[in-house]
Amino acid sequence: MQPPLRRKFSPAFFSAASTSFSMKPTTTAAAAAGGGGRKSGNLSVFVVAMSIFIFGCFMYNEDVKSIAEYPFTRPTQEVQENETGFNFAGGDQSAAVSVVVNSRTVVETEIEGSSSDDDDQKQEVKSTDPEIETNAEENNGGGGGGDDGGDDEEEEIIEHPPEDCDFFTGEWVFDNVTHPLYREDECEFLTAQVTCMKNGRRDSLYQNWRWQPRDCSLPKFKARLMLEKMRNKRLMFVGDSLNRNQWESMICLLQSAVPRGSKTLNKTGSLSVFKIQDYNATVEFYWAPFLVESNSDDPDMHSILNRIIMPESIEKHGRNWKNVDYLVFNTYIWWMNTAAMKILRGSFDEGATEFEEIPRPVAYERVLTTWSNWVDRNVDRNRTQVFFMSMSPLHIKSLDWNNPDGIKCAKETAPILNTSMPLNVGTDRRLFAVAANVTKSMKMSVSFMNITALSEYRKDAHTSVHTIRQGKMVTPEQQADPATYADCIHWCLPGLPDTWNEFLYARIISRS
């Protein structure tokens, strides 16, 4: 409860009152000189008494006004009115309440004495300004989820890149101020496959490279804003281990804004679900390395050399992709071990074993045609955004980037910075062309995320020998033999897949 405010009068006020009080007896005395001493004395006493009475009434009336205008419990709404231009009655009241308005509006109430009630009142006054709330929260390091005011503030200041901006043409810029976007040891959900520093990698500069598009800039990734866009929604990555790599990255980008106890990770068969309770949102990964049915669909036991696919069979997987708000597809790396693909004659359920072989690009186009038809038939274009990630490259031959002394991607510590140099690291451009053409011809609007060329420059960002192999950590003896054991397919985290997710983030918030 706020104590009653005591009015403060300036010396000028007391001076004027004293002058008025002293002048009245003087005037009366002059009149008494012409009308006799005793009568004059009585009149003077009467005048003095009346003056005191009138002055007392005046002071009493002012105190009543003060109490009426400043009751003991002051509603917050009155303070808001004062902040927005409420004109106080009486000039001297500005001595009791001062309003300082600048980039951070602060309202100070000047009250004689102090108490816990006074402090509570000041806190109540400050909390009426949403800008103060947001700034205070940011200064305190933010928090988990649920503060809509903070998210609204972030939404107001964010700059959306032009829709026609080409994110994928640009350069890698070293930036150890804003990157990495999170710390490896702060993301509890990373698997041993991608925790390169924990697994013994000594250089960390691969974490500090930021992609700068040529004609625009990527918006800063704001986890709470992304979570707000995902409220009551599902984001699902579908595909092979590179999409799982990107899924882990997205979890790490988001989980720092979620308080402990409000996030869970569960795996059931081919589906892994990271759930954020405060937002009723999920970030999911569904294992389907070829998108269609194959003999490699087991999420745990899929190290099969003779990979066989059913190019026209997708329903078994597709039923798990329905009613998802953001779908992110990929398929590439599992196509690269043979030049021709084995196509099953019949079905796995019927025990068929015979197959035929067709060229890789032909099989790839059949699969993506099946996939595109499924998307066009089953995805609600008014609800769901669909993305297709282009090919994530390999770095197997160091001669591809003019390093005759290198061993695959091992010991590479910097990107290829000469972007004008013709670069060929073995990416199958025929499959790239098929994916670009199929996604362009679909009825459903699909964002083709061209991550291939910019990722080809990142020979430094692979897990190399700082990873696991067939479920077991690469041993020191194996690390000494990178020609055999270096993984130049997958990527360390934090790292390159965070950039891929920055592209997704920019597209999602722009449409939302």
Side-chain angles (χ1 to χ4, degrees), residues 172-199:
W172 287 103
V173 178
F174 186 78
D175 179 359
N176 61 357
V177 176
T178 67
H179 284 60
L181 298 176
Y182 56 89
R183 289 166 49 105
E184 177 187 299
D185 57 2
E186 291 177 346
C187 186
E188 60 188 287
F189 299 100
L190 287 177
T191 61
Q193 183 181 35
V194 298
T195 51
C196 298
M197 299 298 292
K198 181 180 180 181
N199 298 341

mmCIF file of all heavy atoms in Angstrom, residues 172-199:
data_model
loop_
_atom_site.group_PDB
_atom_site.id
_atom_site.type_symbol
_atom_site.label_atom_id
_atom_site.label_comp_id
_atom_site.label_asym_id
_atom_site.label_seq_id
_atom_site.Cartn_x
_atom_site.Cartn_y
_atom_site.Cartn_z
ATOM 1 N N TRP A 172 31.657 -17.394 -47.537
ATOM 2 C CA TRP A 172 31.844 -17.712 -46.125
ATOM 3 C C TRP A 172 32.691 -16.618 -45.477
ATOM 4 O O TRP A 172 33.747 -16.263 -45.981
ATOM 5 C CB TRP A 172 32.512 -19.071 -45.954
ATOM 6 C CG TRP A 172 31.595 -20.214 -46.270
ATOM 7 C CD1 TRP A 172 31.578 -20.973 -47.405
ATOM 8 C CD2 TRP A 172 30.544 -20.705 -45.430
ATOM 9 N NE1 TRP A 172 30.572 -21.914 -47.327
ATOM 10 C CE2 TRP A 172 29.922 -21.776 -46.117
ATOM 11 C CE3 TRP A 172 30.066 -20.345 -44.172
ATOM 12 C CZ2 TRP A 172 28.855 -22.484 -45.591
ATOM 13 C CZ3 TRP A 172 29.002 -21.061 -43.640
ATOM 14 C CH2 TRP A 172 28.409 -22.112 -44.335
ATOM 15 N N VAL A 173 32.195 -16.098 -44.367
ATOM 16 C CA VAL A 173 32.864 -15.011 -43.651
ATOM 17 C C VAL A 173 33.203 -15.490 -42.257
ATOM 18 O O VAL A 173 32.343 -16.036 -41.545
ATOM 19 C CB VAL A 173 31.942 -13.772 -43.566
ATOM 20 C CG1 VAL A 173 32.618 -12.658 -42.768
ATOM 21 C CG2 VAL A 173 31.569 -13.294 -44.965
ATOM 22 N N PHE A 174 34.458 -15.285 -41.852
ATOM 23 C CA PHE A 174 34.833 -15.686 -40.493
ATOM 24 C C PHE A 174 34.190 -14.724 -39.495
ATOM 25 O O PHE A 174 34.318 -13.516 -39.598
ATOM 26 C CB PHE A 174 36.356 -15.675 -40.317
ATOM 27 C CG PHE A 174 36.808 -16.201 -38.990
ATOM 28 C CD1 PHE A 174 36.843 -17.567 -38.750
ATOM 29 C CD2 PHE A 174 37.160 -15.335 -37.965
ATOM 30 C CE1 PHE A 174 37.248 -18.065 -37.519
ATOM 31 C CE2 PHE A 174 37.562 -15.819 -36.729
ATOM 32 C CZ PHE A 174 37.602 -17.191 -36.505
ATOM 33 N N ASP A 175 33.496 -15.284 -38.518
ATOM 34 C CA ASP A 175 32.736 -14.475 -37.566
ATOM 35 C C ASP A 175 32.729 -15.198 -36.222
ATOM 36 O O ASP A 175 31.889 -16.060 -35.979
ATOM 37 C CB ASP A 175 31.307 -14.262 -38.079
ATOM 38 C CG ASP A 175 30.442 -13.440 -37.133
ATOM 39 O OD1 ASP A 175 30.946 -13.057 -36.063
ATOM 40 O OD2 ASP A 175 29.272 -13.197 -37.464
ATOM 41 N N ASN A 176 33.660 -14.834 -35.353
ATOM 42 C CA ASN A 176 33.702 -15.476 -34.040
ATOM 43 C C ASN A 176 32.947 -14.678 -32.988
ATOM 44 O O ASN A 176 33.086 -14.918 -31.789
ATOM 45 C CB ASN A 176 35.154 -15.694 -33.583
ATOM 46 C CG ASN A 176 35.913 -14.384 -33.448
ATOM 47 O OD1 ASN A 176 35.387 -13.316 -33.746
ATOM 48 N ND2 ASN A 176 37.163 -14.467 -33.009
ATOM 49 N N VAL A 177 32.125 -13.710 -33.448
ATOM 50 C CA VAL A 177 31.276 -12.934 -32.535
ATOM 51 C C VAL A 177 29.888 -13.547 -32.461
ATOM 52 O O VAL A 177 29.355 -13.792 -31.374
ATOM 53 C CB VAL A 177 31.200 -11.459 -32.983
ATOM 54 C CG1 VAL A 177 30.239 -10.681 -32.088
ATOM 55 C CG2 VAL A 177 32.584 -10.825 -32.948
ATOM 56 N N THR A 178 29.276 -13.800 -33.602
ATOM 57 C CA THR A 178 27.911 -14.339 -33.614
ATOM 58 C C THR A 178 27.862 -15.845 -33.823
ATOM 59 O O THR A 178 26.802 -16.450 -33.642
ATOM 60 C CB THR A 178 27.074 -13.669 -34.716
ATOM 61 O OG1 THR A 178 27.602 -14.049 -36.007
ATOM 62 C CG2 THR A 178 27.115 -12.154 -34.578
ATOM 63 N N HIS A 179 28.978 -16.439 -34.223
ATOM 64 C CA HIS A 179 28.998 -17.889 -34.470
ATOM 65 C C HIS A 179 30.114 -18.546 -33.666
ATOM 66 O O HIS A 179 31.194 -17.976 -33.550
ATOM 67 C CB HIS A 179 29.181 -18.168 -35.963
ATOM 68 C CG HIS A 179 27.954 -17.936 -36.777
ATOM 69 N ND1 HIS A 179 27.338 -16.704 -36.848
ATOM 70 C CD2 HIS A 179 27.197 -18.777 -37.548
ATOM 71 C CE1 HIS A 179 26.279 -16.789 -37.626
ATOM 72 N NE2 HIS A 179 26.173 -18.020 -38.058
ATOM 73 N N PRO A 180 29.840 -19.702 -33.076
ATOM 74 C CA PRO A 180 28.674 -20.563 -33.290
ATOM 75 C C PRO A 180 27.403 -20.021 -32.630
ATOM 76 O O PRO A 180 27.476 -19.180 -31.730
ATOM 77 C CB PRO A 180 29.090 -21.890 -32.643
ATOM 78 C CG PRO A 180 30.024 -21.486 -31.563
ATOM 79 C CD PRO A 180 30.794 -20.317 -32.121
ATOM 80 N N LEU A 181 26.272 -20.523 -33.070
ATOM 81 C CA LEU A 181 24.983 -20.085 -32.556
ATOM 82 C C LEU A 181 24.641 -20.733 -31.223
ATOM 83 O O LEU A 181 23.700 -20.319 -30.548
ATOM 84 C CB LEU A 181 23.887 -20.389 -33.573
ATOM 85 C CG LEU A 181 24.036 -19.676 -34.924
ATOM 86 C CD1 LEU A 181 22.955 -20.132 -35.892
ATOM 87 C CD2 LEU A 181 24.000 -18.163 -34.755
ATOM 88 N N TYR A 182 25.391 -21.764 -30.842
ATOM 89 C CA TYR A 182 25.240 -22.421 -29.538
ATOM 90 C C TYR A 182 26.542 -23.151 -29.261
ATOM 91 O O TYR A 182 27.406 -23.266 -30.142
ATOM 92 C CB TYR A 182 24.052 -23.400 -29.535
ATOM 93 C CG TYR A 182 24.127 -24.452 -30.615
ATOM 94 C CD1 TYR A 182 24.778 -25.666 -30.409
ATOM 95 C CD2 TYR A 182 23.580 -24.224 -31.879
ATOM 96 C CE1 TYR A 182 24.880 -26.613 -31.408
ATOM 97 C CE2 TYR A 182 23.668 -25.154 -32.884
ATOM 98 C CZ TYR A 182 24.320 -26.364 -32.643
ATOM 99 O OH TYR A 182 24.428 -27.288 -33.643
ATOM 100 N N ARG A 183 26.701 -23.637 -28.058
ATOM 101 C CA ARG A 183 27.914 -24.357 -27.682
ATOM 102 C C ARG A 183 27.642 -25.855 -27.663
ATOM 103 O O ARG A 183 26.568 -26.299 -27.253
ATOM 104 C CB ARG A 183 28.401 -23.903 -26.306
ATOM 105 C CG ARG A 183 28.991 -22.506 -26.274
ATOM 106 C CD ARG A 183 29.126 -22.030 -24.827
ATOM 107 N NE ARG A 183 29.774 -23.027 -23.980
ATOM 108 C CZ ARG A 183 31.037 -22.935 -23.549
ATOM 109 N NH1 ARG A 183 31.761 -21.891 -23.871
ATOM 110 N NH2 ARG A 183 31.549 -23.869 -22.773
ATOM 111 N N GLU A 184 28.636 -26.590 -28.116
ATOM 112 C CA GLU A 184 28.488 -28.050 -28.164
ATOM 113 C C GLU A 184 28.144 -28.631 -26.792
ATOM 114 O O GLU A 184 27.252 -29.473 -26.661
ATOM 115 C CB GLU A 184 29.786 -28.672 -28.677
ATOM 116 C CG GLU A 184 29.771 -30.191 -28.701
ATOM 117 C CD GLU A 184 31.127 -30.783 -29.060
ATOM 118 O OE1 GLU A 184 31.631 -30.506 -30.168
ATOM 119 O OE2 GLU A 184 31.673 -31.518 -28.218
ATOM 120 N N ASP A 185 28.833 -28.155 -25.743
ATOM 121 C CA ASP A 185 28.625 -28.743 -24.416
ATOM 122 C C ASP A 185 27.339 -28.270 -23.745
ATOM 123 O O ASP A 185 27.000 -28.732 -22.660
ATOM 124 C CB ASP A 185 29.818 -28.450 -23.504
ATOM 125 C CG ASP A 185 30.108 -26.954 -23.367
ATOM 126 O OD1 ASP A 185 29.359 -26.148 -23.955
ATOM 127 O OD2 ASP A 185 31.071 -26.594 -22.671
ATOM 128 N N GLU A 186 26.620 -27.338 -24.376
ATOM 129 C CA GLU A 186 25.364 -26.857 -23.811
ATOM 130 C C GLU A 186 24.143 -27.535 -24.429
ATOM 131 O O GLU A 186 23.020 -27.293 -24.004
ATOM 132 C CB GLU A 186 25.246 -25.337 -24.002
ATOM 133 C CG GLU A 186 26.233 -24.538 -23.161
ATOM 134 C CD GLU A 186 26.147 -23.046 -23.427
ATOM 135 O OE1 GLU A 186 25.526 -22.670 -24.446
ATOM 136 O OE2 GLU A 186 26.713 -22.268 -22.637
ATOM 137 N N CYS A 187 24.376 -28.379 -25.428
ATOM 138 C CA CYS A 187 23.261 -29.080 -26.073
ATOM 139 C C CYS A 187 23.319 -30.547 -25.680
ATOM 140 O O CYS A 187 24.117 -31.325 -26.237
ATOM 141 C CB CYS A 187 23.314 -28.920 -27.590
ATOM 142 S SG CYS A 187 21.856 -29.623 -28.414
ATOM 143 N N GLU A 188 22.495 -30.914 -24.733
ATOM 144 C CA GLU A 188 22.518 -32.259 -24.175
ATOM 145 C C GLU A 188 21.997 -33.315 -25.138
ATOM 146 O O GLU A 188 22.170 -34.518 -24.893
ATOM 147 C CB GLU A 188 21.677 -32.283 -22.898
ATOM 148 C CG GLU A 188 20.215 -31.897 -23.126
ATOM 149 C CD GLU A 188 19.445 -31.741 -21.829
ATOM 150 O OE1 GLU A 188 19.153 -32.778 -21.202
ATOM 151 O OE2 GLU A 188 19.144 -30.581 -21.469
ATOM 152 N N PHE A 189 21.365 -32.900 -26.228
ATOM 153 C CA PHE A 189 20.714 -33.856 -27.116
ATOM 154 C C PHE A 189 21.584 -34.275 -28.302
ATOM 155 O O PHE A 189 21.148 -35.077 -29.128
ATOM 156 C CB PHE A 189 19.387 -33.270 -27.624
ATOM 157 C CG PHE A 189 18.412 -32.978 -26.522
ATOM 158 C CD1 PHE A 189 18.254 -31.688 -26.040
ATOM 159 C CD2 PHE A 189 17.679 -33.997 -25.947
ATOM 160 C CE1 PHE A 189 17.362 -31.414 -25.020
ATOM 161 C CE2 PHE A 189 16.783 -33.738 -24.917
ATOM 162 C CZ PHE A 189 16.630 -32.441 -24.451
ATOM 163 N N LEU A 190 22.785 -33.746 -28.403
ATOM 164 C CA LEU A 190 23.671 -34.142 -29.495
ATOM 165 C C LEU A 190 24.141 -35.573 -29.309
ATOM 166 O O LEU A 190 24.460 -36.007 -28.192
ATOM 167 C CB LEU A 190 24.884 -33.212 -29.565
ATOM 168 C CG LEU A 190 24.651 -31.799 -30.098
ATOM 169 C CD1 LEU A 190 25.932 -30.981 -30.024
ATOM 170 C CD2 LEU A 190 24.130 -31.831 -31.525
ATOM 171 N N THR A 191 24.217 -36.309 -30.413
ATOM 172 C CA THR A 191 24.729 -37.676 -30.362
ATOM 173 C C THR A 191 26.246 -37.662 -30.541
ATOM 174 O O THR A 191 26.838 -36.693 -31.018
ATOM 175 C CB THR A 191 24.100 -38.531 -31.468
ATOM 176 O OG1 THR A 191 24.433 -37.966 -32.750
ATOM 177 C CG2 THR A 191 22.583 -38.572 -31.319
ATOM 178 N N ALA A 192 26.864 -38.761 -30.169
ATOM 179 C CA ALA A 192 28.321 -38.860 -30.236
ATOM 180 C C ALA A 192 28.830 -38.782 -31.677
ATOM 181 O O ALA A 192 30.018 -38.516 -31.902
ATOM 182 C CB ALA A 192 28.783 -40.165 -29.588
ATOM 183 N N GLN A 193 27.962 -38.998 -32.636
ATOM 184 C CA GLN A 193 28.394 -38.948 -34.033
ATOM 185 C C GLN A 193 28.877 -37.560 -34.440
ATOM 186 O O GLN A 193 29.734 -37.436 -35.317
ATOM 187 C CB GLN A 193 27.238 -39.370 -34.950
ATOM 188 C CG GLN A 193 27.614 -39.419 -36.429
ATOM 189 C CD GLN A 193 26.459 -39.817 -37.318
ATOM 190 O OE1 GLN A 193 25.316 -39.464 -37.055
ATOM 191 N NE2 GLN A 193 26.741 -40.566 -38.371
ATOM 192 N N VAL A 194 28.362 -36.501 -33.787
ATOM 193 C CA VAL A 194 28.616 -35.139 -34.259
ATOM 194 C C VAL A 194 29.342 -34.253 -33.248
ATOM 195 O O VAL A 194 29.659 -33.111 -33.560
ATOM 196 C CB VAL A 194 27.291 -34.459 -34.671
ATOM 197 C CG1 VAL A 194 26.634 -35.214 -35.817
ATOM 198 C CG2 VAL A 194 26.341 -34.353 -33.487
ATOM 199 N N THR A 195 29.624 -34.758 -32.051
ATOM 200 C CA THR A 195 30.281 -33.932 -31.022
ATOM 201 C C THR A 195 31.801 -34.003 -31.204
ATOM 202 O O THR A 195 32.512 -34.656 -30.429
ATOM 203 C CB THR A 195 29.882 -34.394 -29.616
ATOM 204 O OG1 THR A 195 30.097 -35.818 -29.511
ATOM 205 C CG2 THR A 195 28.416 -34.096 -29.339
ATOM 206 N N CYS A 196 32.292 -33.323 -32.201
ATOM 207 C CA CYS A 196 33.697 -33.449 -32.600
ATOM 208 C C CYS A 196 34.677 -32.985 -31.526
ATOM 209 O O CYS A 196 35.716 -33.608 -31.303
ATOM 210 C CB CYS A 196 33.927 -32.672 -33.894
ATOM 211 S SG CYS A 196 32.949 -33.288 -35.283
ATOM 212 N N MET A 197 34.362 -31.873 -30.842
ATOM 213 C CA MET A 197 35.263 -31.373 -29.811
ATOM 214 C C MET A 197 35.347 -32.361 -28.644
ATOM 215 O O MET A 197 36.437 -32.654 -28.139
ATOM 216 C CB MET A 197 34.798 -30.003 -29.319
ATOM 217 C CG MET A 197 34.760 -28.931 -30.385
ATOM 218 S SD MET A 197 36.394 -28.591 -31.092
ATOM 219 C CE MET A 197 37.214 -27.848 -29.695
ATOM 220 N N LYS A 198 34.218 -32.867 -28.231
ATOM 221 C CA LYS A 198 34.196 -33.855 -27.158
ATOM 222 C C LYS A 198 34.954 -35.110 -27.565
ATOM 223 O O LYS A 198 35.577 -35.791 -26.724
ATOM 224 C CB LYS A 198 32.755 -34.195 -26.812
ATOM 225 C CG LYS A 198 32.603 -35.198 -25.687
ATOM 226 C CD LYS A 198 31.129 -35.473 -25.408
ATOM 227 C CE LYS A 198 30.976 -36.498 -24.276
ATOM 228 N NZ LYS A 198 29.547 -36.789 -23.998
ATOM 229 N N ASN A 199 34.930 -35.417 -28.868
ATOM 230 C CA ASN A 199 35.575 -36.629 -29.369
ATOM 231 C C ASN A 199 37.051 -36.417 -29.697
ATOM 232 O O ASN A 199 37.675 -37.307 -30.282
ATOM 233 C CB ASN A 199 34.842 -37.140 -30.612
ATOM 234 C CG ASN A 199 33.408 -37.522 -30.308
ATOM 235 O OD1 ASN A 199 33.045 -37.751 -29.160
ATOM 236 N ND2 ASN A 199 32.577 -37.583 -31.340
#
